[in-house]
Amino acid sequence: MAQLQARFFTENHKYVVDDVPFSIPAASEIADLSNIINKLLQAKHEDHKYVEFDFLVKGQFLRMSLVKHMEAENISTEEVVEIEYVEKYTAPQPEECMFHDDWISSIEATEEWILTGSYDQTSRIWSLEGKSIMTIAGHTEVVKDVAWVKKDSLSCLLLSASLDQTILLWEWNVERNKVKALHCCRGHAGSVDSIAVDCTRTKFCSGSWDKMLKIWSAVPTDEEDEIEEAANRPRKKQKIEQLGLTRTPIATLSGHTEAISSVLWSDAEEICSASWDHSIKIWDVETGGLKSTLTGNKVFNSISYSPLCRRLASGSTDRHIRLWDPRTKDGSLVLLSLTSHTGWVTSVKWSPTHEQQLISGSLDNVVKIWDTRSCKAPLYDLAAHEDKVLCVEWTEAGLLLSGGADNKLYSYRYSATTSDVGA
Amino acid sequence: MERAGGSRRLSIPSTQVLEEQAQESDDLTDSEESLYSGLEDSGSDSSSEEEAEDQDSSDEGTLKGSSLSKKAQAGVASQKKERVRCQRLEAESMPGAQQGLPRRDEYEEDSSDEEDVRNTVGNIPMEWYQDYPHVGYDLDGKRIYKPIRTKDELDKFLDQMENPDYWRTVQDKLTGVDVRLTDEQVELVQRLQKGQFGDVHLNPYEPAVDFFSSQVMIHPVTNRPADKRSFIPSLLEKEKVSKLVHAIKMGWIKPRRPKEDTPSYYDLWAQEDPNSILGRHKMHVPAPKLRLPGHEESYNPPPEYLLSEEEKLAWEQQEAAERKLNFLPQQYRCLRAVPAYARFIHERFERCLDLYLCPRQRKMRVNVDPEDLIPKLPKPRDLQPFPTTQALVYRGHSGLVRCLSISPSGQWLVSGSDDGTVRFWEVSSARCMKTLPVEGVVKSVAWNPNPAVCLVAVAVEQSVLLVNPGLGDKLLYGATDQLMEAYEPPEEERLQPVTWAVAAGAEHSRGVRLIIRHGKPVKQVTWHPRGDYLASVLADDGHTQVLIHQASKRWSQSPFRRSKGQVQCVLFHPLRPFFFVATQRYVRLYNLLKQELAKKLLTNCKWVSSMAVHPAGDNLICGSYDSKLAWFDLDLSTKPYRVLRHHKKALRSVAFHKHYPLCASGSDDGSVIVCHGMVYNDLLQNPLIVPVKVLKGHAPARDLGVLDVLFHPSQPWLFSSGADATIRLFA
């Protein structure tokens, strides 16, 4: 059997081995390499316990035998191979399953609560343990997106966007467990598909099917904004819909030629919006102008931005998750595509704590955890859903959430190993 | 006189002998004498001495007429007689005649004066004297009597028998006497009979002297001195030369063009393609090769090549054609002992036959790769985007889904099913947003193409429902409702083929706004692109198969007076006021403004099932139940520009995309075929049709597969509804 010269190294001081080249069988797989490292460590420390490792060759995760991987990556087998090893990420542990009455369209979670929007026209607040705390009803149509504005121990502000063209700003009194609609944000002429709150928690933006991107104030006031109602609007309907004070947008950004499917704040003054017109546009909030456009060739379903690696991840109406650099000017350059799904990617979310990991949900009923160092195969597949996955969420506490058309919200505990993050 | 005689001799024929007798006695008499000139032999010889006698007379300057007397011989045969004319030249008439030049009488030959003086009757037929005893008169005027007794036949016979000279006796007709020819005369006759000259001494074959020979002689032929003009320059020539010089100077005469020294031959094979199959040296067919002799043909073959006895026996028993060897290997002691080869002639003959019958023509094998015959089409990969994979399945119906339609924005999808419901779906999530129960099978749905109106026409049984789905912009569907309510009926009721009814109660709350009740089952409903008019097709045989309704005025009319066959489907032209009506075999295009038939398309199909028009309006596709898809270029012809037979079963539905160059056809075999159908703005370029994808997903049920196909208005997505109660989105 062919042998390869390999040198092992790691960033984790706990598991350092001697920096000498080893001759290892070319056909070794992860388990074999892991055994070698563990034996070396046992020789060094008597009290070493067996640890599963993952291996990276030139920044790519090893997912097959070493020689095949090097062949695929075009790495010469003549020289000494530098193999980095990291502690293997433990599989996410399923925690709770929360049952809804209808499809779950959106999730947003804080450290304590989970806010979900559902197709039954309500939003719900759940505890992390899976207990339903509050059901917020008020929309006359499907709730498409939800967002937390402010989280306090006493009262929380939250938003829900709906197909009925409005966004409602709610105040939730935690102690008394009461919700009150503070404002009804009117102005969109189509279903509001996506909302995002900025980092100062005073503004939020919304993207709608009517191709408009609107910026609103998230600060509750007691005044009602003047609204120019269409004269022919039926009176009685207006009465029914009157829920909270009417609020009008601060600014409207138009430029997309098709529906906006996803919006986010990538910076304090920068909005990214993904649209059905195959483009991601980056807007300057201050001037209200378009900064740059990233052009793809498929409809975008969802985008996510990681401030850690400063990249956009997009899920579109094909099987791929694409990574973009939003700082490139008017480019269409895809940095990387992660391909393993078999259906449309409906939702992507970067890990808030790990710069290389993200989670994605797809129409093929599977949620996948990705490491950008392994673009062909995900780290883990979470195949609990029985129908389309519509939304995913990754909290800072390491909780993975996914909701779908099977009316279930699954939560997983996933320790994005601190050992690697520290490095 | 001697000179004169010499020169005269030159002027007369050589055979004729002229005798001149100048007799002094005759000079004075000046009489003319005709003398016999018979056949003379020696007459010429005597002339010289006679001429010498009158030498003095000729000195006087006059040549006296001389009469030649000959030694005439009487009895010479008249037909052989040469009459020599004697000339008489009169001195008075020719006073200036030169001494040295001979005078020649030009009438010498045809004078009638020369008469036979023995008989003066002249040149008359002697038969005239037949009855007379005489035959003429002599010079003295006396009768010349015939011989006493004319001979009768007996006398002649006797004469013939007895007279030994009979054969040389001739009768002189002039005198009637018999003349016996002399030996000389007989000889002359014989010579003439043989074709020889009369003169014995004449040699006709004198050696010829080549006077102007090819040899250049040192002496001139003539002794004449050269003229003076031969030595002085010619004025005429000088004039000619100066004219030529002038012409050359003036450029009228061009110097002679130098002769081109290009070869006059050409390369016969210059044009030949060196790579051509039929080129020179390519057709060479080598003669079939002879087999080389082997060991068994040796005079002393190795023993293993020799046949054993049994083998020999077997060889002999075999047919000559079946033998492996056509001879028996034999061993000889030495080469000297080898006999003559018995089969030599035979083998040479066979070899010649081989060469002669060898095919001299090379068979051209047409080496065509079947791949080359397929027209070059672009690869489907280069024609992206088009739907490739199934993305979403819209589940909810319980019966086969007959029809589909999509909102102009592309957000909502409406479907009608056999389960008696109309369902409204959110496109992006496959969520059924609304379900509208109706009484009966939904045959056709059509979303109003006007983006400012939110209305869906639904064909159920015998009525068409106009439904406000209440989806999308609230303002929009609110405005639509207001528009409906704002209708004021006209003052006088007009006669209409249908009845319009306003929905109320539960139906109104479900969204139904208007009900157009037809008397017959409605097969299809379609909107005009502006969204005010809609057309419905009835399952009827009469002339009211097609009705056009105006939704805003609630007014219906039947556009056709006569039925042209069973109408399958109708379609409004997207841009111009045209109306397509598909019957079983034809598609008729009516101009709605002029109210006339504009075009009649021959589909070549047995039964048209569906049609769709290109958004630019110049191309139409027709699906038929005999599994054909016909593409018409309306500008090109009334016959299909292309017919595609890719489906295995009947086509149920065809569709064009609004923006992308895509068309699709759904069939009973459960598949949808997506074609790239590029229509160019350039009128000269024909549409490019490339089948790019077969989309499968629907499970055939009850022999039905895909019932309707539909493109998303903005994305390259395709919806298909099937008999398996699902709608599928391919992206």
Side-chain angles (χ1 to χ4, degrees):
Chain A
M1 174 165 285
Q3 299 279 314
L4 275 175
Q5 297 289 311
R7 194 199 301 272
F8 294 99
F9 69 100
T10 184
E11 303 282 336
N12 194 335
H13 301 291
K14 223 165 95 186
Y15 301 123
V16 171
V17 295
D18 295 334
D19 188 13
V20 285
F22 295 95
S23 185
I24 53 168
S28 355
E29 305 214 0
I30 304 171
D32 307 326
L33 295 174
S34 202
N35 277 337
I36 293 171
I37 300 293
N38 273 303
K39 278 193 183 142
L40 288 170
L41 288 172
Q42 261 174 4
K44 253 174 112 179
H45 316 285
E46 288 296 318
D47 55 345
H48 175 75
K49 277 185 200 158
Y50 188 85
V51 179
E52 287 265 3
F53 288 104
D54 237 337
F55 297 87
L56 295 119
V57 181
K58 292 212 169 166
Q60 289 291 312
F61 270 106
L62 195 61
R63 282 290 176 266
M64 41 191 131
S65 76
L66 188 57
V67 66
K68 274 188 191 164
H69 177 85
M70 291 169 75
E71 218 169 85
E73 295 288 326
N74 236 339
I75 303 168
S76 164
T77 53
E78 304 290 318
E79 296 154 17
V80 178
V81 193
E82 303 275 334
I83 301 179
E84 186 182 357
Y85 56 98
V86 292
E87 202 177 329
K88 192 165 190 170
Y89 303 118
T90 50
Q93 298 302 313
E95 288 220 321
E96 301 295 336
C97 177
M98 292 159 242
F99 290 92
H100 286 66
D101 295 338
D102 210 335
W103 296 10
I104 302 161
S105 62
S106 53
I107 313 169
E108 181 145 324
T110 64
E111 290 79 14
E112 294 168 82
W113 304 294
I114 303 163
L115 176 62
T116 60
S118 170
Y119 273 74
D120 60 0
Q121 308 177 359
T122 63
S123 313
R124 285 162 201 259
I125 301 170
W126 304 76
S127 72
L128 292 187
E129 290 78 38
K131 211 177 86 189
S132 176
I133 296 172
M134 186 72 214
T135 302
I136 306 163
H139 282 293
T140 57
E141 269 290 358
V142 171
V143 175
K144 278 291 182 117
D145 204 0
V146 289
W148 291 98
V149 180
K150 210 163 65 178
K151 288 149 282 188
D152 251 328
S153 53
L154 292 176
S155 70
C156 293
L157 285 178
L158 49 98
L159 288 166
S160 63
S162 163
L163 195 72
D164 62 8
Q165 310 174 7
T166 61
I167 305 153
L168 288 175
L169 178 64
W170 306 86
E171 186 185 40
W172 175 43
N173 193 321
V174 180
E175 281 186 345
R176 289 160 53 200
N177 201 12
K178 285 270 169 65
V179 287
K180 185 185 161 199
L182 294 180
H183 286 284
C184 179
C185 305
R186 299 171 186 278
H188 277 299
S191 94
V192 185
D193 284 352
S194 176
I195 48 175
V197 184
D198 84 327
C199 55
T200 64
R201 303 281 151 186
T202 55
K203 279 184 289 185
F204 70 95
C205 64
S206 63
S208 161
W209 186 270
D210 64 1
K211 308 164 192 174
M212 297 298 169
L213 181 69
K214 288 181 193 283
I215 302 166
W216 316 74
S217 167
V219 182
T221 53
D222 294 336
E223 296 156 19
E224 184 168 4
D225 290 344
E226 283 301 313
I227 182 162
E228 58 276 19
E229 279 290 341
N232 55 2
R233 197 176 179 84
R235 280 285 151 207
K236 56 173 184 183
K237 210 162 205 172
Q238 204 179 355
K239 281 276 161 33
I240 292 164
E241 283 173 5
Q242 202 58 42
L243 194 66
L245 302 169
T246 302
R247 172 161 287 188
T248 51
I250 301 170
T252 300
L253 307 177
S254 71
H256 280 294
T257 58
E258 289 286 339
I260 295 172
S261 56
S262 183
V263 289
L264 58 86
W265 295 79
S266 59
D267 199 353
E269 295 297 332
E270 201 177 68
I271 297 174
C272 296
S273 63
S275 162
W276 278 43
D277 63 4
H278 307 178
S279 70
I280 298 171
K281 287 187 195 285
I282 297 155
W283 309 84
D284 193 325
V285 176
E286 198 102 308
T287 62
L290 184 66
K291 273 173 124 178
S292 62
T293 304
L294 303 170
T295 312
N297 53 12
K298 288 285 191 306
V299 165
F300 288 109
N301 282 327
S302 167
I303 51 171
S304 176
Y305 179 73
S306 167
L308 297 172
C309 66
R310 298 183 179 183
R311 281 186 195 168
L312 276 174
S314 73
S316 50
T317 57
D318 56 3
R319 303 175 296 127
H320 311 290
I321 299 160
R322 294 186 176 84
L323 302 187
W324 310 78
D325 189 349
R327 285 166 296 182
T328 54
K329 289 284 171 199
D330 292 320
S332 56
L333 185 70
V334 178
L335 296 174
L336 202 62
S337 40
L338 309 174
T339 310
S340 171
H341 279 298
T342 56
W344 289 2
V345 180
T346 50
S347 178
V348 287
K349 194 81 183 178
W350 280 99
S351 162
T353 52
H354 195 292
E355 60 172 328
Q356 277 154 334
Q357 294 193 343
L358 69 150
I359 187 173
S360 68
S362 159
L363 291 185
D364 59 3
N365 310 353
V366 181
V367 177
K368 288 175 193 261
I369 301 168
W370 296 87
D371 193 299
T372 55
R373 291 169 292 184
S374 163
C375 59
K376 289 284 190 295
L379 288 180
Y380 289 104
D381 283 359
L382 309 175
H385 283 286
E386 292 145 10
D387 206 341
K388 301 180 274 285
V389 179
L390 297 177
C391 50
V392 290
E393 170 72 333
W394 191 323
T395 69
E396 289 188 22
L399 199 65
L400 305 182
L401 300 161
S402 68
D406 55 355
N407 308 349
K408 287 174 192 159
L409 174 72
Y410 286 97
S411 70
Y412 300 87
R413 178 65 60 183
Y414 179 64
S415 56
T417 46
T418 47
S419 54
D420 193 51
V421 172
Chain B
M1 194 64 194
E2 183 65 47
R3 260 182 73 194
S7 58
R8 176 172 292 198
R9 188 175 289 224
L10 279 175
S11 65
I12 56 171
S14 58
T15 51
Q16 195 170 359
V17 178
L18 178 74
E19 279 189 3
E20 286 182 294
Q21 253 183 354
Q23 293 178 350
E24 288 163 3
S25 58
D26 287 337
D27 283 346
L28 297 173
T29 59
D30 197 19
S31 65
E32 293 178 26
E33 274 188 54
S34 298
L35 293 179
Y36 302 122
S37 65
L39 295 164
E40 305 151 310
D41 307 328
S42 55
S44 59
D45 298 336
S46 62
S47 65
S48 56
E49 59 240 24
E50 288 170 2
E51 280 172 9
E53 290 175 17
D54 53 10
Q55 208 169 13
D56 44 353
S57 66
S58 63
D59 285 340
E60 292 172 12
T62 58
L63 180 64
K64 301 222 172 147
S66 63
S67 59
L68 298 176
S69 69
K70 292 187 183 173
K71 297 170 193 169
Q73 293 184 346
V76 172
S78 65
Q79 72 259 30
K80 304 275 172 69
K81 179 177 67 187
E82 287 274 332
R83 281 176 295 169
V84 178
R85 254 198 66 223
C86 66
Q87 295 178 329
R88 193 186 65 133
L89 296 169
E90 298 200 342
E92 293 86 3
S93 63
M94 307 292 269
Q98 284 172 0
Q99 179 76 20
L101 285 177
R103 299 302 302 262
R104 184 167 171 268
D105 184 6
E106 52 192 317
Y107 303 110
E108 197 176 31
E109 299 297 329
D110 41 328
S111 167
S112 64
D113 294 343
E114 44 177 292
E115 290 174 349
D116 196 348
V117 290
R118 291 174 299 169
N119 191 348
T120 56
V121 289
N123 193 10
I124 55 151
M126 292 309 284
E127 287 85 12
W128 293 351
Y129 285 95
Q130 214 169 359
D131 301 331
Y132 296 100
H134 62 279
V135 291
Y137 307 90
D138 63 1
L139 276 174
D140 300 328
K142 303 245 175 72
R143 286 183 179 171
I144 303 172
Y145 287 101
K146 290 177 189 171
I148 310 280
R149 185 178 143 240
T150 49
K151 290 174 177 172
D152 55 3
E153 292 300 316
L154 187 62
D155 291 331
K156 278 180 188 169
F157 179 72
L158 288 175
D159 210 13
Q160 190 178 349
M161 288 290 116
E162 288 165 4
N163 189 3
D165 291 334
Y166 177 78
W167 61 276
R168 61 202 291 180
T169 307
V170 292
Q171 188 185 29
D172 189 354
K173 279 188 179 167
L174 281 174
T175 52
V177 291
D178 289 342
V179 180
R180 180 182 172 273
L181 297 182
T182 60
D183 284 348
E184 288 82 22
Q185 283 167 337
V186 169
E187 194 189 354
L188 179 66
V189 168
Q190 282 170 344
R191 286 177 61 84
L192 288 173
Q193 276 177 337
K194 277 195 265 178
Q196 289 171 343
F197 289 106
D199 190 355
V200 185
H201 306 288
L202 182 73
N203 183 9
Y205 306 111
E206 296 259 354
V209 178
D210 200 357
F211 197 73
F212 295 101
S213 70
S214 61
Q215 308 293 323
V216 177
M217 300 296 175
I218 54 170
H219 299 295
V221 175
T222 62
N223 205 14
R224 206 174 129 208
D227 291 319
K228 183 188 177 186
R229 61 171 182 266
S230 309
F231 302 101
I232 56 171
S234 163
L235 276 174
L236 199 74
E237 279 180 5
K238 187 187 171 192
E239 199 178 340
K240 276 187 179 168
V241 168
S242 69
K243 269 185 185 169
L244 288 175
V245 167
H246 179 66
I248 288 169
K249 277 182 180 171
M250 295 302 285
W252 299 332
I253 297 178
K254 296 269 168 49
R256 188 170 290 158
R257 197 180 297 157
K259 205 178 177 187
E260 287 180 18
D261 53 350
T262 50
S264 57
Y265 53 82
Y266 64 96
D267 185 0
L268 183 62
W269 294 284
Q271 302 298 319
E272 191 180 335
D273 179 13
N275 298 321
S276 74
I277 303 167
L278 289 168
R280 288 172 77 208
H281 310 305
K282 292 278 174 63
M283 286 304 289
H284 173 68
V285 182
K289 270 189 181 164
L290 270 183
R291 204 176 65 85
L292 291 175
H295 287 297
E296 62 273 17
E297 268 133 325
S298 165
Y299 79 98
N300 188 12
E304 63 264 29
Y305 289 97
L306 291 170
L307 300 185
S308 63
E309 287 302 317
E310 301 90 66
E311 283 172 332
K312 267 185 197 169
L313 206 64
W315 186 86
E316 275 160 5
Q317 281 171 352
Q318 265 180 327
E319 289 283 324
E322 286 176 357
R323 286 169 183 164
K324 200 175 163 193
L325 292 173
N326 58 357
F327 63 96
L328 278 172
Q330 277 184 317
Q331 192 171 32
Y332 296 98
R333 193 172 41 78
C334 60
L335 198 57
R336 244 181 322 135
V338 178
Y341 184 42
R343 288 176 50 83
F344 179 76
I345 299 290
H346 186 77
E347 278 190 358
R348 283 295 94 192
F349 175 72
E350 299 233 306
R351 174 67 180 163
C352 288
L353 265 189
D354 277 355
L355 294 176
Y356 169 61
L357 295 175
C358 157
R360 289 287 150 184
Q361 193 183 14
R362 181 164 291 181
K363 201 167 194 176
M364 290 295 160
R365 182 175 294 164
V366 184
N367 205 357
V368 177
D369 190 3
E371 292 293 318
D372 295 345
L373 298 175
I374 300 171
K376 289 274 169 291
L377 288 177
K379 282 182 187 157
R381 211 155 36 80
D382 305 333
L383 302 173
Q384 296 254 1
F386 54 82
T388 51
T389 50
Q390 178 183 306
L392 281 170
V393 183
Y394 301 73
R395 290 180 211 275
H397 278 297
S398 56
L400 48 92
V401 186
R402 272 192 195 274
C403 46
L404 289 174
S405 187
I406 194 162
S407 72
S409 64
Q411 195 180 7
W412 313 107
L413 182 73
V414 61
S415 64
S417 165
D418 271 13
D419 59 4
T421 57
V422 176
R423 280 176 186 263
F424 296 90
W425 310 83
E426 189 183 39
V427 166
S428 59
S429 62
R431 165 91 184 181
C432 178
M433 304 303 286
K434 259 180 192 169
T435 306
L436 174 71
V438 292
E439 306 105 9
V441 171
V442 181
K443 284 281 175 65
S444 176
V445 290
W447 202 299
N448 195 319
N450 186 357
V453 179
C454 188
L455 262 186
V456 178
V458 181
V460 184
E461 298 291 342
Q462 296 198 349
S463 55
V464 172
L465 312 178
L466 294 186
V467 179
N468 186 348
L471 292 169
D473 194 354
K474 276 181 191 165
L475 282 174
L476 208 70
Y477 63 73
T480 306
D481 273 349
Q482 282 189 344
L483 199 73
M484 290 283 175
E485 286 159 14
Y487 168 73
E488 286 179 9
E491 277 147 22
E492 78 260 35
E493 199 67 28
R494 285 186 291 185
L495 191 66
Q496 294 199 23
V498 297
T499 51
W500 291 72
V502 181
E507 276 192 324
H508 187 273
S509 62
R510 283 202 293 260
V512 180
R513 294 292 176 262
L514 282 173
I515 303 168
I516 311 169
R517 291 208 170 84
H518 299 65
K520 300 271 168 52
V522 183
K523 280 202 294 192
Q524 192 216 348
V525 63
T526 182
W527 285 95
H528 187 268
R530 294 247 190 79
D532 191 17
Y533 289 93
L534 74 158
S536 58
V537 180
L538 306 185
D540 183 21
D541 285 335
H543 64 279
T544 54
Q545 286 188 80
V546 181
L547 292 174
I548 294 181
H549 316 280
Q550 191 175 7
S552 62
K553 293 187 178 159
R554 302 189 188 176
W555 161 246
S556 304
Q557 54 184 329
S558 170
F560 302 118
R561 282 205 189 79
R562 277 195 303 121
S563 159
K564 290 270 176 62
Q566 204 176 352
V567 176
Q568 300 300 310
C569 52
V570 295
L571 202 59
F572 284 100
H573 193 281
L575 303 171
R576 289 192 283 275
F578 288 144
F579 190 56
F580 296 94
V581 178
T583 53
Q584 277 187 18
R585 316 191 111 214
Y586 306 106
V587 176
R588 289 182 174 83
L589 175 59
Y590 292 95
N591 190 331
L592 290 176
L593 279 186
K594 293 182 186 166
Q595 303 208 332
E596 63 180 19
L597 179 68
K599 209 167 253 184
K600 183 180 171 188
L601 306 176
L602 317 166
T603 61
N604 286 344
C605 303
K606 292 216 176 68
W607 198 312
V608 173
S609 64
S610 54
M611 63 178 168
V613 67
H614 190 267
D618 285 337
N619 291 274
L620 180 85
I621 52 176
C622 264
S624 75
Y625 288 117
D626 52 348
S627 60
K628 281 195 264 189
L629 174 74
W631 176 298
F632 292 95
D633 193 331
L634 297 182
D635 295 333
L636 205 65
S637 158
T638 58
K639 294 203 176 71
Y641 160 64
R642 191 146 296 170
V643 176
L644 305 178
R645 289 183 196 82
H646 295 304
H647 282 293
K648 291 190 180 65
K649 285 187 180 173
L651 267 79
R652 289 275 166 183
S653 173
V654 290
F656 264 115
H657 198 284
K658 261 191 174 174
H659 303 298
Y660 290 97
L662 291 173
C663 62
S665 56
S667 159
D668 276 351
D669 58 6
S671 68
V672 178
I673 291 181
V674 182
C675 293
H676 176 90
M678 188 68 182
V679 175
Y680 298 96
N681 284 331
D682 182 9
L683 284 176
L684 292 176
Q685 203 165 2
N686 283 330
L688 173 74
I689 306 166
V690 187
V692 287
K693 188 74 186 172
V694 180
L695 298 170
K696 285 184 178 156
H698 285 288
R702 287 187 286 162
D703 280 340
L704 295 174
V706 177
L707 293 174
D708 200 1
V709 291
L710 178 73
F711 276 106
H712 191 274
S714 58
Q715 304 297 335
W717 297 348
L718 179 83
F719 301 94
S720 67
S721 69
D724 55 353
T726 60
I727 304 159
R728 283 161 204 264
L729 166 62
F730 297 93

